[in-house]
Amino acid sequence: MNDQAARPAARPAREFVVEADGGSRGNPGPAGYGAVVLDAATGETLVETAEYLGVVTNNVAEYRGLLAGLRAAKELDPDADVRVRMDSKLVVEQMSGRWKIKHPDMKPLAAEAARVFPPGRVTYEWIPRADNKHADRLANEAMDAGARGEQWSPSESTAELDAAATGGVGSRAAADTDVRAAKAVASPGWGPPDMGAPATFVLLRHGETPLTPQKRFSGSGGSDPSLSAVGREQAEKVAASLARRGTIEAIVASPLARTRETAGIVAARLGLEVAIEEGLRETDFGAWEGLTFGEVRERYPDDLDAWLASPDAEPTGGGESFAATGARIAATRDKLVAAYAGRTVLLVSHVTPIKTFLQLALGAPPESLFRMELSAASLSAVAYYADGGASVRLFNETSHLR
């Protein structure tokens, strides 16, 4: 018998339809996504998923819905072919490669979506909003759940509510009220549910430069020094410590030389790439760059006093105020939380940005920046939850340097 003829025919690839949607009540505003996986042959609903995201934009919510749908399909069958149907023209055209992805919030999400299945296994189709009601309903249920301080659960979407819908608007509303009343129980602990795994930022200050032990102002407007031999050794030690922990999933760094070098040493040890984020750069200290505190006191006493007294005061020569730095870090935080929701990310930055992340997470006043000690190559950590809550988990950890 011919071996070729005896060999069984390859199993045809299973085909799924993924319908996904996301929405934001305000743009940005409280947001959520919904996604459903259907059997392409029978139309049977195989998986429903939805999640409240906190405050993000419509587009971020739509991409998060796409990601959730693709991941659910992969869990069912990683060898399947997938047809994505969405009413977001933007997502469909960008993922099909016809439109360029320019917005920094969307690029990492699109890249993640493209990696779920091998190239060529996923196609994209735009559908009218009226044809995407299933995913749209799930997204709205997730946002409703978030408004109540709850996580979305499948029971909110299926049997009892769908059955009630057949009895008319009145019975659907009554069933919805009953379900919500049953869920409205006091939550234990300090507050409402945190709605899933947080985005955890491990904040690493760069290693020493020649200016660090001299305690000179070294911001984004100065000489941009590289690491010293001591700084490179510190970076190697923190890399070894993070490798032992094994929790870092991505690395993002300030564009300055000392942070890029520190991040590169860690990335080489962890086998990760480094993404550069302009928002993580150090404050621009204007004419004070390269000077010690004492030298600034001697040369610019009035400007220094004003700077110490008010977060709105700028360093001499048009540097960046702490208020401006705070606004920049808050915007960067929101962007990174949206991009890395549920993941642990190493942010390699500087004294003022890291202190600002901590100050904002604690809701502390601006003068708290002067009351934090942050050592070179130290680690701090903040977790950000989908309900907008933040939790400081670590501050100025240096045991890895001993």
Side-chain angles (χ1 to χ4, degrees), residues 29-32 52-56 195 385-388:
Y52 175 67
L53 298 174
V55 176
V56 301
M195 300 180 215
Y385 294 90
D387 61 0

Side-chain angles (χ1 to χ4, degrees), residues 197-203 242 245-252 270 272 340-347 380-383 393:
T200 301
F201 293 168
V202 178
L203 305 165
L242 292 171
R245 298 183 193 190
T247 56
I248 301 300
E249 300 172 80
I251 301 176
V252 183
L270 301 186
L272 297 171
Y340 294 100
R343 302 172 68 188
T344 299
V345 185
L346 183 70
L347 304 187
S380 302
V382 182
R393 297 188 169 182

Side-chain angles (χ1 to χ4, degrees), residues 115-205:
R115 290 194 295 265
V116 176
F117 282 92
R121 302 297 291 273
V122 181
T123 58
Y124 290 86
E125 174 188 349
W126 178 84
I127 57 175
R129 186 173 185 82
D131 293 344
N132 203 28
K133 290 181 179 179
H134 194 159
D136 177 71
R137 171 169 59 81
L138 294 172
N140 277 286
E141 287 175 0
M143 287 184 276
D144 290 342
R148 301 192 302 271
E150 301 171 1
Q151 292 185 2
W152 178 88
S153 64
S155 62
E156 187 168 347
S157 158
T158 52
E160 64 271 10
L161 294 186
D162 288 341
T166 62
V169 174
S171 60
R172 170 62 185 257
D176 189 71
T177 300
D178 290 343
V179 170
R180 293 186 182 183
K183 289 173 173 278
V185 294
S187 56
W190 293 97
D194 58 33
M195 300 180 215
T200 301
F201 293 168
V202 178
L203 305 165
L204 170 61
R205 185 190 170 194

